[in-house]
């Protein structure tokens, strides 16, 4: 059965498989054999990083930023990991420019089956229930990612503006808002 759940040890073997097939925890940073081995060798450490995230975050330019509280959910079929979706509980200066409230990714072998659309819909429901302070959420998408733009638009995303991508020189990004209430 397809479900959005808190990441747990039962999903870790499949998560490592996903990393090996090209799934990346960060759309701006590819995994390496070393980063995959770190997860494979210590799955409990990764679960701690996800479910009880540190207070700082390494930004794409390598600098250290303050991490906004976030909720990470995994989309699974039984113990099989299919994808992840993150909700940042509020924006800061960095996330207002790029990142927004919600980000998601689907493992390569599971793409094109509606999973990202379902994960985003599920996280919007989660936000409606658990984060009543959020009237609306912002999402950013690289204009070179039409599949993700479609996912956002299918979930009610309204294009606010297009901006130069702050981390990828030459790329443009779209900022969308989705009303929650
Ligand atoms: C983008 C991504 C999340 C999409 O996941 P997915 O599970 O394949 O998405 P879905 O199947 O729910 O929906 C994709 C939609 O885009 C459409 N689509 C796919 N490729 C497309 C393209 N090149 N141009 C336009 N639309 C496209 C699909 O037809 C589908 O729309 P439909 O349901 O109306 O047919 C996935 O490719 C991914 O994880 N990429 C790497 C990480 C990433 O880019 N994350 C998003 C950052 S903003």
């Amino acid at each position: 059965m397809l479900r959005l759940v808190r990441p747990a040890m039962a999903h870790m073997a499949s998560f490592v498989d996903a990393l090996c097939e090209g799934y990346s925890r960060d759309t701006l940073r590819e995994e390496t054999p070393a980063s995959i081995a770190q997860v494979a060798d210590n799955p409990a450490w990764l679960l701690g990083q996800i479910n009880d995230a540190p207070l700082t975050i390494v930004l794409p330019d390598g600098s250290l930023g303050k991490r906004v509280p976030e909720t990470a959910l995994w989309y699974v079929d039984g113990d099989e990991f299919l994808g992840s979706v993150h909700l940042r509980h509020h924006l800061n200066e960095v996330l207002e420019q790029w990142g927004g409230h919600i980000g998601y990714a689907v493992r390569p072998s599971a793409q094109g089956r509606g999973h990202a659309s379902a994960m985003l819909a599920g996280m919007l429901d989660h936000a409606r229930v658990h984060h009543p302070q959020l009237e609306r959420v912002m999402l950013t998408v690289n204009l070179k990612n039409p599949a993700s733009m479609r996912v956002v638009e299918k979930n009610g995303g309204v294009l606010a503006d297009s901006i130069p991508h702050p981390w990828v020189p030459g790329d443009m990004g779209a900022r969308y808002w989705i009303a929650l209430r």
Side-chain angles (χ1 to χ4, degrees), residues 10 20 36 38-40 55 57 68 72 79 88 91 101 129 147-148 150 158 160 162 174:
C20 291
I36 296 172
Q38 186 183 33
V39 176
L55 298 175
I57 187 166
V68 164
D79 289 346
R88 263 83 59 166
L91 299 179
H101 289 95
V129 172
S148 189
R150 175 89 186 113
V158 176
S162 297

Short mmCIF file of all heavy atoms in Angstrom, two decimals, residues 10 20 36 38-40 55 57 68 72 79 88 91 101 129 147-148 150 158 160 162 174:
data_model
loop_
_atom_site.label_atom_id
_atom_site.label_comp_id
_atom_site.label_asym_id
_atom_site.label_seq_id
_atom_site.Cartn_x
_atom_site.Cartn_y
_atom_site.Cartn_z
N ALA A 10 12.93 0.28 8.75
CA ALA A 10 12.40 -0.72 7.82
C ALA A 10 12.60 -0.31 6.36
O ALA A 10 12.67 -1.17 5.46
CB ALA A 10 10.92 -0.96 8.09
N CYS A 20 21.74 4.21 -4.80
CA CYS A 20 22.62 3.54 -5.78
C CYS A 20 22.08 3.68 -7.20
O CYS A 20 22.85 3.67 -8.17
CB CYS A 20 22.76 2.05 -5.44
SG CYS A 20 23.69 1.78 -3.91
N ILE A 36 27.07 7.60 -0.23
CA ILE A 36 26.16 6.45 -0.17
C ILE A 36 26.67 5.45 0.88
O ILE A 36 25.89 4.91 1.68
CB ILE A 36 26.03 5.79 -1.56
CG1 ILE A 36 25.38 6.77 -2.54
CG2 ILE A 36 25.21 4.49 -1.46
CD1 ILE A 36 25.37 6.30 -3.99
N GLN A 38 28.35 6.10 3.51
CA GLN A 38 28.11 6.64 4.85
C GLN A 38 26.70 6.28 5.33
O GLN A 38 26.50 5.92 6.50
CB GLN A 38 28.27 8.17 4.79
CG GLN A 38 28.19 8.85 6.13
CD GLN A 38 28.27 10.37 5.99
OE1 GLN A 38 27.81 10.95 5.00
NE2 GLN A 38 28.89 11.00 6.96
N VAL A 39 25.73 6.35 4.41
CA VAL A 39 24.35 6.00 4.77
C VAL A 39 24.21 4.50 4.96
O VAL A 39 23.61 4.02 5.93
CB VAL A 39 23.38 6.49 3.67
CG1 VAL A 39 21.96 6.04 3.98
CG2 VAL A 39 23.45 7.99 3.51
N ALA A 40 24.79 3.73 4.02
CA ALA A 40 24.67 2.27 4.08
C ALA A 40 25.30 1.73 5.36
O ALA A 40 24.78 0.78 5.97
CB ALA A 40 25.32 1.63 2.86
N LEU A 55 20.71 21.88 13.78
CA LEU A 55 20.23 23.26 13.76
C LEU A 55 20.86 24.07 12.63
O LEU A 55 20.43 25.18 12.34
CB LEU A 55 20.54 23.95 15.10
CG LEU A 55 19.85 23.31 16.31
CD1 LEU A 55 20.31 23.98 17.60
CD2 LEU A 55 18.33 23.41 16.17
N ILE A 57 22.65 24.05 8.48
CA ILE A 57 22.59 23.37 7.18
C ILE A 57 23.70 23.91 6.30
O ILE A 57 24.00 25.12 6.34
CB ILE A 57 21.19 23.59 6.53
CG1 ILE A 57 21.06 22.77 5.27
CG2 ILE A 57 20.89 25.06 6.29
CD1 ILE A 57 19.63 22.67 4.77
N VAL A 68 15.81 25.82 9.19
CA VAL A 68 14.43 26.04 9.61
C VAL A 68 13.84 24.69 10.02
O VAL A 68 14.15 23.67 9.41
CB VAL A 68 13.66 26.64 8.40
CG1 VAL A 68 12.17 26.55 8.58
CG2 VAL A 68 14.10 28.08 8.15
N ALA A 72 9.99 15.75 7.45
CA ALA A 72 10.30 14.92 6.29
C ALA A 72 9.41 13.69 6.31
O ALA A 72 9.31 13.01 7.34
CB ALA A 72 11.76 14.50 6.34
N ASP A 79 7.76 -1.72 2.64
CA ASP A 79 9.08 -1.24 3.08
C ASP A 79 9.85 -0.57 1.94
O ASP A 79 10.97 -0.10 2.14
CB ASP A 79 9.93 -2.43 3.59
CG ASP A 79 9.41 -2.94 4.93
OD1 ASP A 79 8.60 -2.23 5.57
OD2 ASP A 79 9.80 -4.05 5.32
N ARG A 88 9.18 22.74 5.13
CA ARG A 88 9.81 23.70 6.04
C ARG A 88 8.69 24.50 6.72
O ARG A 88 7.77 24.98 6.03
CB ARG A 88 10.70 24.66 5.24
CG ARG A 88 12.17 24.29 5.21
CD ARG A 88 12.56 23.28 4.17
NE ARG A 88 12.26 23.69 2.81
CZ ARG A 88 12.77 23.07 1.73
NH1 ARG A 88 13.59 22.03 1.84
NH2 ARG A 88 12.45 23.46 0.53
N LEU A 91 9.50 30.24 6.27
CA LEU A 91 10.56 30.65 5.34
C LEU A 91 11.59 31.51 6.08
O LEU A 91 11.28 32.11 7.11
CB LEU A 91 9.98 31.46 4.18
CG LEU A 91 8.96 30.72 3.30
CD1 LEU A 91 8.45 31.66 2.20
CD2 LEU A 91 9.54 29.46 2.70
N HIS A 101 8.75 26.40 0.92
CA HIS A 101 8.30 25.57 2.04
C HIS A 101 8.45 24.07 1.74
O HIS A 101 8.68 23.27 2.65
CB HIS A 101 6.81 25.81 2.33
CG HIS A 101 6.48 27.12 2.95
ND1 HIS A 101 6.08 28.21 2.21
CD2 HIS A 101 6.49 27.52 4.25
CE1 HIS A 101 5.84 29.23 3.03
NE2 HIS A 101 6.07 28.84 4.27
N VAL A 129 -3.49 20.19 8.34
CA VAL A 129 -3.88 19.64 9.65
C VAL A 129 -2.91 20.08 10.75
O VAL A 129 -3.33 20.51 11.82
CB VAL A 129 -3.94 18.10 9.57
CG1 VAL A 129 -4.16 17.50 10.96
CG2 VAL A 129 -5.02 17.66 8.60
N ALA A 147 8.57 18.62 -15.55
CA ALA A 147 7.77 17.61 -14.83
C ALA A 147 7.40 18.14 -13.44
O ALA A 147 6.25 17.99 -12.99
CB ALA A 147 8.56 16.30 -14.71
N SER A 148 8.35 18.80 -12.78
CA SER A 148 8.06 19.33 -11.45
C SER A 148 7.10 20.52 -11.52
O SER A 148 6.23 20.69 -10.65
CB SER A 148 9.36 19.74 -10.75
OG SER A 148 9.10 20.05 -9.41
N ARG A 150 4.75 20.81 -13.60
CA ARG A 150 3.44 20.19 -13.80
C ARG A 150 2.89 19.66 -12.47
O ARG A 150 1.71 19.79 -12.16
CB ARG A 150 3.59 19.05 -14.82
CG ARG A 150 2.38 18.24 -15.07
CD ARG A 150 1.50 18.81 -16.19
NE ARG A 150 0.27 18.03 -16.26
CZ ARG A 150 -0.93 18.51 -15.98
NH1 ARG A 150 -1.08 19.78 -15.66
NH2 ARG A 150 -2.00 17.75 -16.06
N VAL A 158 0.12 28.47 -8.17
CA VAL A 158 -0.07 29.68 -8.99
C VAL A 158 1.29 30.35 -9.14
O VAL A 158 1.95 30.66 -8.13
CB VAL A 158 -1.07 30.64 -8.32
CG1 VAL A 158 -1.20 31.92 -9.13
CG2 VAL A 158 -2.43 29.95 -8.16
N ALA A 160 4.03 32.91 -9.28
CA ALA A 160 4.17 34.29 -8.78
C ALA A 160 5.14 35.05 -9.66
O ALA A 160 4.85 36.14 -10.14
CB ALA A 160 4.65 34.27 -7.34
N SER A 162 9.23 34.64 -12.04
CA SER A 162 10.40 33.88 -12.46
C SER A 162 11.63 34.66 -12.02
O SER A 162 11.67 35.89 -12.17
CB SER A 162 10.42 33.70 -13.97
OG SER A 162 9.30 32.96 -14.36
N ALA A 174 11.08 29.23 -11.22
CA ALA A 174 9.73 29.74 -11.03
C ALA A 174 9.38 29.64 -9.56
O ALA A 174 9.71 28.66 -8.89
CB ALA A 174 8.75 28.91 -11.85
#
